[in-house]
Amino acid sequence: MHEVQTITPEEVQARLEQGETLHLVDVREDDEIAFYGKIPEATHIKMGDIPNKLDYFNKEDAYIFICKAGVRSEHVCMYMQEQGYKAINMIGGMSYYTGKTE
């Protein structure tokens, strides 16, 4: 099993502010998104829906997975790596993200 690559919330925010295009996927539940908000550039695909949404992903691109604290997104990253995708976990999750949300 490959170790999951990580990125900090601060690094995600800095890269977005520099205008970089990142493939962000928020895997939290609908009520969490409604309550806490999400990064505007992130696509919302609930963790449980990921296996049915693999056609959304491109094996050439790296995806940054986000949840509330970084645990669920790490599990998603492990699953995605097993499927042959490039996955990066935003450690600490939205709990540590201080950038713009919607």
Side-chain angles (χ1 to χ4, degrees):
M1 184 77 229
H2 298 298
E3 191 172 320
V4 173
Q5 189 179 345
T6 61
I7 189 168
T8 66
E10 295 80 14
E11 192 178 348
V12 169
Q13 183 179 346
R15 289 170 67 177
L16 288 172
E17 287 171 358
Q18 290 165 5
E20 194 173 333
T21 300
L22 300 177
H23 300 286
L24 305 174
V25 180
D26 195 316
V27 300
R28 295 174 297 155
E29 295 297 315
D30 294 337
D31 58 335
E32 293 175 283
I33 299 275
F35 188 79
Y36 297 104
K38 74 172 185 65
I39 300 171
E41 294 82 357
T43 299
H44 178 218
I45 304 174
K46 291 186 286 191
M47 180 179 179
D49 293 342
I50 294 282
N52 298 323
K53 303 271 187 183
L54 290 179
D55 57 346
Y56 168 81
F57 300 95
N58 179 334
K59 291 196 177 177
E60 302 303 309
D61 295 321
Y63 294 88
I64 298 171
F65 290 92
I66 302 163
C67 68
K68 183 179 175 193
V71 177
R72 283 174 288 176
S73 52
E74 182 177 26
H75 290 293
V76 172
C77 285
M78 289 188 274
Y79 172 79
M80 293 301 283
Q81 285 179 344
E82 289 169 5
Q83 307 306 311
Y85 294 92
K86 298 174 190 155
I88 304 165
N89 185 29
M90 188 173 93
I91 53 174
M94 289 302 288
S95 300
Y96 290 93
Y97 187 78
T98 58
K100 193 170 61 172
T101 58
E102 63 177 19

